[in-house]
Amino acid sequence: MASLTREEARQRAQLITVNRMEVDLDLDRGSEHFGSTTRIRFSCNVPGESTFLDLRSVSTGSVTLNGGSISPDAVVDGRLPLTGLAEDNLVEVVATMAYSRDGQGLHRSTDPADGEDYVYGHLFLDAAPTVFACFDQPDLKAPYAVTVRAPQGSVVLGNGRATQTSPGHWELSETLPLATYFVTVCVGPYVSVHDEHDGIPLGIHARRSLQRELEHHAPQMFEVTKQSFDHYHRTFGIRYPFGDYDQVFVPEFNAGAMENPGCVTFRDPMLYRGAATREQILQRSNTIAHEMAHMWFGDLVTMRWWDDLWLNESFAEFMAYTATSAATEFTDSWVEFGIARKQWGYAAERAPSTHPVAGSPAPDAQSALENFDGISYAKGASVLRQLVTHMGEAAFTSGVTAYLRSHEHGNGELAEFLAAMEDAHGSPLGEWSRAWLETAGVDVIALDRDGMMTRTTPEAYPADRPHSLDVAGFTDGAEAFRTTVTLDRPRVEVAGVARDVTLLVPNAGDLTWAQVDLDDATLAALPAGLSRVTDPIARGVLWGAVLTGVFRSSVGPRVAVDVFTADWPHEGHDALMSRVALAFTDRVVPQFVPTALVESVDGRIAGAALMAFQGAEPGSDRAIVAARVLASTTTDEDRLRAWVDGHNLPDGLQGDADFRWIVVRTLARLGLADDALISRVEADDTTLSGHLAALAARAARPGIPDKQWAWSELTQNRERSNYELNALATGFWSGGDVDNLRPYAARYVSDIPHLAQWVGADALDHVATLAFPARVVEPETVELVREAIARPDLTAGVRRAMGDELSKLEEALRSRARWA
């Protein structure tokens, strides 16, 4: 299907205005197809002109324009020409649509726990035409009046409040103007809990089999929801405008969540089944605050075109962490931002696909999908933190509020945002915007013992970015000094730097967007000193400097492992514990450590996990994180088999099915989990999560027949859902000797692109990333992928996924060459 170009969208928006959308959905026609009838009232400012409607149906029954019939055969490549337009127009389309299994459009999923069917709409980014006929672009917003015919016993949720008018027939209240990609309906035997806050009806909903988890977690989620509403109302003085506020946890969701006005959808693994650490609750709370921020940034005011998606995502990211740190119990949420979100963004900056925060090229809608990454989220939020410092908090809030008020229920773009901010600031922001928003690249900053601070700008993306930050020194864990710096030149002398401190930390408050190089004395002192630093944000900066140093080849993997084994068992912040361990087990060890040494280094990681586990208070978050890392790294078969059988389990993990699956997957990776064991555990956990975990465990087994089966299921079984593909891809590369895995590097470049024939772009991009042969760290893999990227038949998303993962592989090869 042709992807809408920016120029086509501009021309269509200049010609027509969509006044009202009426959509009737018949979701009671079986498991494959549903009925869709759409009536669109729109005006044309040049009568007699032509345009086109977006429609991707299985079959089209009838099309009428202003009472005249149009042949359904006129639809070509997802577009229906509309000619001879009047000043006021009514087009009606009756069509049959297909449910999806890839998380896009109207996704239908059967819960293996009880056989119940669930449907939800995810119309992002350009999937709306697979659900109803429309003018599918973000700047043609319109009110929606939706009706749904649903199977008996279903609950219906959507952007407007749903009312059952007769058995199986539902009407949703008409909405305020919405962009097409925000429209959703959720239908199935959902269970619900309700509340109310400040006049806003609240609901949280999930699959029936998750009722216990829903009721357990709902009080905390309602608390964060209410606190976030109060924070945003207080900050901007603009009330939430979209009526009810439902939050629906849905199965097999491609993203973390989606900000559909009045009906936010979340991936339902966030309803944690077993032990949930504070960091996991923070992640979910931050997602709740993030999606709510979109009610203003994205929903109330929508970007005019996808090259300004930062006006949605950067703001939601920034506002969410601001809200959780200021209005909830998670006052330390910026710690998690630094070690999780910023590391994601720094990796995106080092990739060949790096792009500016704002104005990133998006010639068509599909190309924009590629830029929903750590730059649009984490870098954008960090840049906004710098803008607050540059303008002052009062002026920043005033400018943002003015922008929202002047564009509410409409669309905006970078120039209009900057104009509002300049009015509030009282001076131009053009140079600042060009340096921070409109130029790609991340600077590297360093501080020496003589107080000289340096800023190195990437040669490919020169920019004069002024950094507002602080630097600090620590001795015996205590802060010895801290001073603020404006780094607006390549070299700046910093007064008050104490030469004799143990650890010298540039950007100690993690206030700016820059990778950090530590001085040699600090790096040497980390094994004895990092965990003693009392400030968790500064510890996060140090951990992050070690990780980015490994990835940039400025820190050797041996040094990094020494720091991990010495400091990680004593790390006191569970976000730092879990994220640092994940970075080491998922990337540092399997990619950067030479193959001959991986087994011994794995043993050191497991030893550190055992030390942390034994030293933690039983049942504490530290103990749970350590137990999970130990379960995923140990080769102690007796311990693993005892845990699978429920013996000697750590406190807080008794009956925890997800922890049990971690253990099973480790046994599988070690070649110690036969079909009988996996089937026995799966029989005890008949949920969707259990089914997916069993797939991943089977794919992780190292035997050649196991790999052949897993790869066949991944690349040939067209009945596999998006989540099943992800589970197979993740499990496949987690176990097995490199010699047995090597042939699949070639299979990857030949087989994965062909999934585009039946897997949607959003889902396929995930699979292409997860299935990448990252374990085969060899020049031959680089050549294979480079040749594949040059092929013309690749989708843009697969090409980008391959390129970004290739850049990580090349980072590992450079490191191995330097630190061999």
Side-chain angles (χ1 to χ4, degrees):
M1 297 294 178
S3 182
L4 183 71
T5 69
R6 178 176 183 166
E7 181 58 24
E8 289 172 330
R10 186 188 64 80
Q11 293 176 2
R12 190 160 63 174
Q14 288 179 342
L15 181 66
I16 68 170
T17 300
V18 184
N19 301 310
R20 192 168 192 264
M21 296 283 298
E22 300 172 5
V23 179
D24 303 328
L25 299 175
D26 183 355
L27 307 186
D28 196 19
R29 293 189 181 181
S31 62
E32 299 296 326
H33 300 127
F34 61 95
S36 173
T37 299
T38 312
R39 292 173 294 281
I40 307 174
R41 302 179 188 276
F42 68 101
S43 56
C44 174
N45 57 31
V46 186
E49 279 291 333
S50 302
T51 189
F52 61 91
L53 196 65
D54 299 300
L55 175 64
R56 303 207 297 269
S57 62
V58 173
S59 62
T60 304
S62 64
V63 181
T64 60
L65 173 63
N66 299 328
S69 179
I70 299 176
S71 170
D73 295 335
V75 178
V76 177
D77 205 19
R79 296 180 176 187
L80 174 66
L82 302 177
T83 59
L85 298 177
E87 183 175 353
D88 294 303
N89 301 272
L90 171 63
V91 62
E92 181 171 2
V93 178
V94 179
T96 297
M97 307 292 200
Y99 293 112
S100 80
R101 293 294 312 282
D102 61 9
Q104 294 171 248
L106 210 57
H107 181 95
R108 186 183 183 98
S109 177
T110 301
D111 188 344
D114 54 17
E116 297 284 5
D117 293 323
Y118 293 86
V119 168
Y120 64 87
H122 185 54
L123 275 52
F124 172 88
L125 176 138
D126 61 354
T130 67
V131 180
F132 51 83
C134 59
F135 299 105
D136 189 25
Q137 59 190 75
D139 59 344
L140 288 178
K141 300 169 75 170
Y144 279 76
V146 177
T147 69
V148 177
R149 182 171 180 258
Q152 293 290 324
S154 293
V155 171
V156 175
L157 302 158
N159 304 101
R161 179 179 294 181
T163 303
Q164 187 169 203
T165 57
S166 63
H169 292 265
W170 299 72
E171 290 185 3
L172 278 66
S173 60
E174 186 168 329
T175 71
L176 293 168
L178 305 181
T180 47
Y181 77 99
F182 289 139
V183 179
T184 193
V185 294
C186 302
V187 178
Y190 289 98
V191 291
S192 308
V193 289
H194 294 95
D195 205 335
E196 181 272 341
H197 180 67
D198 196 15
I200 304 169
L202 307 176
I204 306 179
H205 317 268
R207 288 179 284 136
R208 183 179 293 167
S209 63
L210 291 173
Q211 182 168 359
R212 182 181 65 178
E213 289 80 2
L214 172 67
E215 293 174 350
H216 173 71
H217 289 285
Q220 190 275 335
M221 292 190 290
F222 276 133
E223 179 183 28
V224 170
T225 299
K226 296 172 184 179
Q227 291 167 332
S228 299
F229 266 128
D230 290 345
H231 177 79
Y232 296 141
H233 286 159
R234 186 167 56 245
T235 300
F236 301 115
I238 302 173
R239 283 191 58 80
Y240 167 72
F242 295 108
D244 294 8
Y245 195 73
D246 289 308
Q247 299 176 92
V248 191
F249 289 82
V250 298
E252 299 180 325
F253 198 67
N254 274 337
M258 180 64 197
E259 65 269 22
N260 313 301
C263 188
V264 180
T265 44
F266 296 80
R267 60 192 306 266
D268 61 17
M270 287 186 183
L271 289 177
Y272 306 112
R273 303 191 301 163
T277 64
R278 185 174 183 274
E279 187 226 2
Q280 290 176 290
I281 301 300
L282 163 61
Q283 289 179 53
R284 185 180 64 203
S285 299
N286 186 76
T287 304
I288 289 171
H290 179 109
E291 302 310 320
M292 186 185 293
H294 274 308
M295 299 300 125
W296 289 266
F297 302 97
D299 298 2
L300 180 68
V301 181
T302 308
M303 71 220 158
R304 186 162 285 113
W305 182 246
W306 299 104
D307 53 3
D308 271 316
L309 65 91
W310 78 282
L311 287 169
N312 291 13
E313 299 305 345
S314 299
F315 267 96
E317 183 94 342
F318 169 75
M319 291 306 306
Y321 280 96
T322 301
T324 51
S325 64
T328 77
E329 66 177 288
F330 302 105
T331 56
D332 59 344
S333 61
W334 288 109
V335 177
E336 189 267 349
F337 176 79
I339 197 62
R341 306 298 281 183
K342 290 182 80 170
Q343 289 296 314
W344 172 43
Y346 290 149
E349 285 272 54
R350 296 192 305 270
S353 60
T354 186
H355 57 85
V357 172
S360 182
D364 58 50
Q366 274 301 309
S367 66
L369 180 62
E370 302 169 37
N371 290 334
F372 282 80
D373 57 17
I375 295 172
S376 297
Y377 287 75
K379 181 180 181 178
S382 299
V383 169
L384 290 174
R385 292 184 85 185
Q386 286 288 294
L387 183 56
V388 171
T389 303
H390 184 76
M391 294 179 60
E393 187 171 353
F396 176 85
T397 302
S398 175
V400 170
T401 301
Y403 168 75
L404 291 173
R405 288 191 182 280
S406 62
H407 292 78
E408 60 182 346
H409 303 303
N411 300 83
E413 60 189 14
L414 172 63
E416 294 162 330
F417 169 77
L418 284 179
M421 302 306 282
E422 287 175 342
D423 285 346
H425 185 39
S427 60
L429 290 169
E431 288 298 321
W432 188 94
S433 175
R434 278 186 285 276
W436 274 113
L437 291 173
E438 300 170 63
T439 304
V442 56
D443 296 339
V444 177
I445 62 174
L447 178 66
D448 67 24
R449 300 273 160 164
D450 295 323
M452 185 59 66
M453 193 164 202
T454 59
R455 179 195 69 186
T456 305
T457 301
E459 292 182 7
Y461 305 101
D464 185 12
R465 281 179 281 267
H467 296 264
S468 298
L469 68 155
D470 60 1
V471 300
F474 297 85
T475 297
D476 296 330
E479 184 175 307
F481 77 90
R482 186 179 293 257
T483 186
T484 59
V485 182
T486 299
L487 183 59
D488 54 3
R489 300 184 301 280
R491 294 169 63 85
V492 170
E493 190 169 351
V494 181
V497 172
R499 293 176 55 92
D500 58 349
V501 295
T502 306
L503 304 176
L504 199 57
V505 189
N507 195 27
D510 207 15
L511 297 174
T512 194
W513 180 259
Q515 296 180 126
V516 169
D517 271 349
L518 301 174
D519 70 292
D520 291 342
T522 296
L523 193 60
L526 283 182
L530 192 160
S531 61
R532 301 177 66 186
V533 173
T534 54
D535 179 358
I537 288 182
R539 290 203 311 277
V541 171
L542 290 168
W543 279 119
V546 171
L547 291 172
T548 58
V550 170
F551 304 148
R552 294 169 45 240
S553 297
S554 61
V555 174
R558 184 187 301 275
V559 171
V561 172
D562 287 345
V563 173
F564 182 92
T565 54
D567 289 296
W568 185 86
H570 309 290
E571 174 56 59
H573 198 286
D574 68 324
L576 296 177
M577 278 192 78
S578 61
R579 294 296 179 159
V580 170
L582 184 65
F584 272 83
T585 57
D586 274 16
R587 187 157 185 230
V588 172
V589 177
Q591 278 200 312
F592 289 79
V593 173
T595 303
L597 300 177
V598 165
E599 185 176 347
S600 64
V601 173
D602 277 340
R604 293 184 64 189
I605 301 294
L610 180 60
M611 181 186 298
F613 174 64
Q614 292 174 335
E617 179 183 349
S620 67
D621 285 352
R622 289 191 71 246
I624 289 170
V625 172
R628 289 170 177 167
V629 176
L630 179 59
S632 64
T633 57
T634 186
T635 56
D636 184 341
E637 183 178 354
D638 291 340
R639 183 190 298 274
L640 292 170
R641 290 199 182 279
W643 280 354
V644 166
D645 293 336
H647 303 315
N648 304 319
L649 281 165
D651 287 355
L653 294 173
Q654 295 87 352
D656 189 319
D658 291 329
F659 180 75
R660 193 184 189 196
W661 279 116
I662 293 174
V663 178
V664 171
R665 185 161 149 190
T666 299
L667 286 168
R669 180 173 53 81
L670 297 172
L672 301 173
D674 57 16
D675 287 335
L677 173 62
I678 297 175
S679 296
R680 172 166 63 88
V681 178
E682 188 175 14
D684 294 336
D685 183 11
T686 58
T687 65
L688 178 59
S689 295
H691 167 65
L692 296 171
L695 274 180
R698 291 187 173 98
R701 293 188 295 188
I704 291 177
D706 300 307
K707 296 305 180 189
Q708 291 172 338
W709 169 85
W711 195 260
S712 175
E713 288 296 304
L714 173 65
T715 60
Q716 298 178 29
N717 188 343
R718 297 192 176 204
E719 300 303 312
R720 291 295 187 188
S721 72
N722 55 330
Y723 268 40
E724 289 175 325
L725 296 177
N726 292 344
L728 287 162
T730 302
F732 183 90
W733 291 106
S734 67
D737 294 332
V738 172
D739 288 342
N740 290 343
L741 295 173
R742 186 175 293 109
Y744 291 95
R747 296 285 300 275
Y748 169 83
V749 299
S750 65
D751 296 351
I752 293 299
H754 292 301
L755 270 65
Q757 297 174 22
W758 66 91
V759 178
D762 198 11
L764 180 55
D765 295 354
H766 287 291
V767 175
T769 298
L770 294 172
F772 187 87
R775 292 265 318 277
V776 189
V777 186
E778 299 170 352
E780 292 77 10
T781 308
V782 173
E783 293 307 312
L784 281 169
V785 178
R786 281 180 180 167
E787 291 175 5
I789 289 173
R791 285 164 37 190
D793 61 323
L794 262 60
T795 65
V798 169
R799 180 175 287 107
R800 169 158 175 176
M802 284 185 174
D804 286 355
E805 293 305 305
L806 175 61
S807 73
K808 295 178 183 179
L809 191 70
E810 290 174 319
E811 286 181 342
L813 284 168
R814 284 193 295 270
S815 173
R816 290 192 182 193
R818 177 173 182 183
W819 301 104

